[in-house]
Structures are given as structure tokens and as C-alpha cells.
Amino acid sequence: QVHLSESGGVTVQAGGSLTRSCAASGYPHITNWSAWFRQVPWKNREGLASVNTDDGTTHYSDSVKGRFTISRDNTKNTVNLQMDNLKPGETAMYYCAAGLIIQSSSDFLAPSEYVSWGQGTQVTVSS
């Protein structure tokens, strides 16, 4: 069992930057991929970025590529998401997740690949 906990909610101005942290406890070593997602009530959960916690391989959605950076610190069992040049339309609940993904052909940004989820953190981007 892996327990995930994100840093608290925050408001940031459009164009600004923000880093969210996700701390894993329990048995984080049973997973090999961590990811960040976001969701607004009227949309499906959107995969933003994922990282292989063993070798650091990353994947990004087209919507955030070049602006968001995912990183992991295995000494602290944390995964961070740095978000730059945030836009008002990116106000959402942000979630971290962890899973064990074996197949290289998997969709590393699909929610179905992840079994452990944090409670979510509200990010509000003001215009």
C-alpha cells in the first residue's frame, strides 16, 4: 500500500510559476512510475507528466510540454511538479499518482495505469 500526500492548495497569478510536491509513504518501492494529473468537474482527469522513479524517464502531455517539469527525489520519496507560465484555464484540482507499469507500450499518462492517488491539491490561476 502506498499513501500519497500533495502539498496544500495555492493561488498564483497567470504567467507565474509554482511547484507542487507529492510525498509517498508506506511501500513506495512497489511502484515504478509516478505522475501528476489535473481535473475540473466538467472534464475527465488529464495526465500531465509522469516519471519513472528508477531511471528518471519522463513523459509530458502536449498541453504542458516545455512549461512543466516533473522530477523525483528517491532519498525523500517525493515527486515534484514545477509549473511555469501558468494560464487561467489551468485552474484545477491537481493529483499525484503512483503505479507499477511494466509494458513499455503503456500509456504513461493514462489514469487507469495508476493505483495509488493523493487527495488532490487545488491550484487556482488568477488572471
Side-chain angles (χ1 to χ4, degrees), residues 2-118:
V2 179
H3 178 72
L4 302 175
S5 179
E6 299 100 337
S7 44
V10 67
T11 297
V12 63
Q13 286 194 329
S17 297
L18 182 66
T19 298
R20 298 290 81 192
S21 182
C22 175
S25 60
Y27 298 94
H29 61 277
I30 65 174
T31 61
N32 63 346
W33 282 87
S34 292
W36 282 90
F37 295 79
R38 66 186 175 198
Q39 188 170 23
V40 292
W42 54 89
K43 287 187 177 180
N44 293 331
R45 193 163 293 190
E46 176 189 10
L48 304 175
S50 61
V51 61
N52 183 300
T53 52
D54 293 332
D55 64 17
T57 300
T58 57
H59 296 278
Y60 294 94
S61 68
D62 289 341
S63 63
V64 305
K65 194 176 296 182
R67 297 188 299 120
F68 289 14
T69 304
I70 190 169
S71 61
R72 93 289 192 203
D73 184 340
N74 290 342
T75 64
K76 299 179 180 178
N77 288 328
T78 58
V79 175
N80 296 324
L81 183 68
Q82 180 181 336
M83 301 178 281
D84 297 323
N85 191 21
L86 282 160
K87 305 173 183 179
E90 295 183 302
T91 293
M93 188 72 79
Y94 284 70
Y95 299 88
C96 67
L100 178 65
I101 304 174
I102 303 300
Q103 292 188 353
S104 60
S105 58
S106 300
D107 182 351
F108 298 97
L109 295 177
S112 58
E113 295 288 351
Y114 297 87
V115 296
S116 297
W117 292 84

